[in-house]
């Protein structure tokens, strides 16, 4: 449990201290999306198929912080530092580096108590080499969609102001 709280405090501190790109609206959207998507993904992989779990198998109150305040700041850091306007090769390297970082973090979370809180059933860390890039691409697509909606709303507001 100690490792989880250290990670939560560290990731949230870094995410909010270094944020230069994300607006408050985008942070709220990313946070809500992350929690909802993680609950859905973990409900299937963790609860239904027992591939991995936090603390204890099944639904567990101790696991709620893992699902609600751990991953969203990591997603904020990724989006804040992602090279959107760079070549595809630089974007691919960034996704690969973040994937390796996630795998390293999960390996640390597998440490014994009191620092570790993550447990593997039939899941293997190398599966993340396939899954994490897909999850990152879904997050990037969601973020781009939110940005597009914000631009569209700003244009709509500007047109309305112009008519007055």
């Amino acid at each position: 449990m100690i490792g989880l709280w250290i990670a939560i405090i560290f990731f949230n501190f870094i995410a909010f201290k270094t944020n230069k790109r994300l607006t408050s609206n985008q942070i709220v959207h990313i946070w809500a999306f992350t929690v909802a998507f993680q609950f859905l993904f973990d409900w299937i992989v963790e609860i239904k198929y027992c591939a991995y779990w936090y603390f204890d198998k099944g639904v567990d109150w101790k696991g709620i912080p893992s699902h609600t305040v751990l991953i969203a700041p990591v997603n904020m850091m990724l989006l804040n530092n992602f090279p959107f306007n760079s070549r595809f090769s630089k974007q691919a390297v960034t996704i690969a580096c973040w994937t390796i970082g996630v795998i390293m973090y999960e390996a640390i979370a597998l440490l014994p108590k009191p620092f570790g809180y993550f447990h593997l059933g039939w899941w293997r860390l190398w599966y993340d080499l396939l899954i994490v890039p897909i999850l990152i691409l879904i997050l990037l697509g969601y973020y781009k969609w939110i940005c597009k909606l914000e631009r569209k709303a700003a244009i709509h507001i500007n047109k309305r102001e112009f008519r007055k």
Side-chain angles (χ1 to χ4, degrees):
M1 192 82 160
I2 292 171
L4 173 63
W5 287 108
I6 290 170
I8 287 170
I9 292 166
F10 178 75
F11 291 151
N12 277 278
F13 178 79
I14 297 297
F16 284 99
K17 202 70 170 161
T18 62
N19 179 40
K20 299 212 184 329
R21 172 182 288 167
L22 304 175
T23 65
S24 297
N25 182 51
Q26 292 168 346
I27 290 170
V28 169
H29 275 88
I30 294 304
W31 207 285
F33 172 78
T34 300
V35 170
F37 194 71
Q38 184 180 7
F39 266 112
L40 176 65
F41 187 85
D42 283 350
W43 177 72
I44 295 167
V45 179
E46 176 186 351
I47 305 299
K48 183 165 176 55
Y49 293 110
C50 297
Y52 57 78
W53 58 90
Y54 302 95
F55 299 106
D56 299 313
K57 287 184 180 181
V59 179
D60 186 8
W61 287 103
K62 289 188 291 187
I64 288 178
S66 309
H67 294 283
T68 56
V69 292
L70 178 65
I71 305 302
V74 174
N75 286 346
M76 286 174 56
M77 290 186 289
L78 185 148
L79 292 170
N80 193 48
N81 295 300
F82 193 79
F84 286 101
N85 297 321
S86 296
R87 293 185 329 251
F88 174 77
S89 59
K90 186 170 184 179
Q91 292 177 352
V93 167
T94 301
I95 291 171
C97 289
W98 276 90
T99 300
I100 291 167
V102 167
I103 293 169
M104 289 171 43
Y105 175 76
E106 286 183 7
I108 292 168
L110 288 168
L111 289 172
K113 292 180 182 180
F115 293 101
Y117 59 91
F118 191 59
H119 305 278
L120 297 177
W122 56 265
W123 191 268
R124 299 295 170 252
L125 286 180
W126 70 266
Y127 296 171
D128 288 344
L129 287 173
L130 304 171
I131 298 298
V132 171
I134 293 168
L135 297 175
I136 290 173
L137 291 173
I138 291 168
L139 174 68
L140 293 171
Y142 181 78
Y143 174 72
K144 287 180 180 181
W145 180 57
I146 293 304
C147 291
K148 183 178 177 181
L149 291 176
E150 285 181 340
R151 283 191 302 276
K152 198 173 191 180
I155 290 170
H156 182 69
I157 290 170
N158 288 339
K159 283 182 181 178
R160 195 173 352 152
E161 291 294 323
F162 182 72
R163 290 181 194 152
K164 288 181 181 180

